[in-house]
């Protein structure tokens, strides 16, 4: 459980409670996730019409408010990684499924080497 009053860094700067979707960028499944700890949000309003062909400003949006904050309790979040592995030489030589898999199916067993068996595979 996250308590803003117990997070030391929240005493010096504004903090906000966020969930796992708020701290992940981009908020989609990706190979390279970024977990955010500091957020700067800009509130903007459109100053040029959506269908305008010209805009007298540098941007069709004007920033009306900035909001900076830290993600409270980031140390309490868990990052769970799934990974796939393969020992290509052993798997190609033997076709043994022990040499290919992903972290959901593995039980953390070490497969040893037996020099008497074909290809050194136990």
């Amino acid at each position: 459980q996250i308590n803003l009053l117990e997070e030391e860094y929240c005493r010096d700067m504004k903090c906000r409670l966020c969930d796992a979707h708020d701290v992940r960028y981009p908020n989609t499944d990706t190979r390279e996730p970024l977990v955010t700890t500091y957020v700067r949000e800009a509130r903007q309003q459109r100053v040029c019409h959506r269908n305008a062909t010209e805009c007298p400003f540098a941007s069709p949006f004007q920033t009306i408010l900035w909001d900076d904050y830290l993600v409270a309790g980031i140390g309490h979040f868990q990052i769970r990684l799934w990974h796939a592995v393969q020992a290509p030489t052993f798997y190609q030589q033997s076709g043994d499924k022990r040499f290919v898999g992903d972290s959901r199916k593995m039980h953390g067993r070490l497969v040893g080497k037996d020099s008497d068996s074909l290809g050194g595979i136990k």
Side-chain angles (χ1 to χ4, degrees):
Q1 184 175 9
I2 300 170
N3 183 339
L4 291 177
L5 301 175
E6 293 177 1
E7 302 296 337
E8 186 175 329
Y9 53 88
C10 291
R11 296 180 193 140
D12 299 327
M13 189 170 174
K14 181 167 81 172
C15 287
R16 193 180 286 175
L17 293 171
C18 299
D19 68 9
H21 300 286
D22 293 331
V23 300
R24 185 175 70 172
Y25 182 84
N27 192 14
T28 59
D29 289 332
T30 180
R31 293 176 56 145
E32 300 164 354
L34 172 68
V35 178
T36 308
T37 58
Y38 171 81
V39 178
R40 170 172 267 189
E41 288 181 336
R43 306 275 185 219
Q44 296 182 319
Q45 68 182 22
R46 184 178 281 277
V47 291
C48 293
H49 191 271
R50 181 180 310 272
N51 297 325
T53 58
E54 291 184 21
C55 183
F57 305 102
S59 170
F61 295 94
Q62 179 183 23
T63 301
I64 55 174
L65 177 68
W66 287 100
D67 192 14
D68 298 331
Y69 59 90
L70 295 173
V71 175
I74 196 69
H76 300 278
F77 283 81
Q78 292 182 3
I79 299 175
R80 296 183 182 184
L81 302 174
W82 300 101
H83 64 278
V85 296
Q86 181 182 46
T89 302
F90 294 150
Y91 183 64
Q92 288 175 354
Q93 287 178 359
S94 68
D96 190 332
K97 299 257 186 213
R98 293 181 299 166
F99 298 112
V100 63
D102 62 46
S103 59
R104 295 178 191 182
K105 298 174 188 165
M106 294 179 166
H107 303 289
R109 292 176 295 174
L110 177 64
V111 177
K113 180 178 177 186
D114 183 356
S115 60
D116 294 323
S117 63
L118 179 62
I121 300 169
K122 184 176 180 181

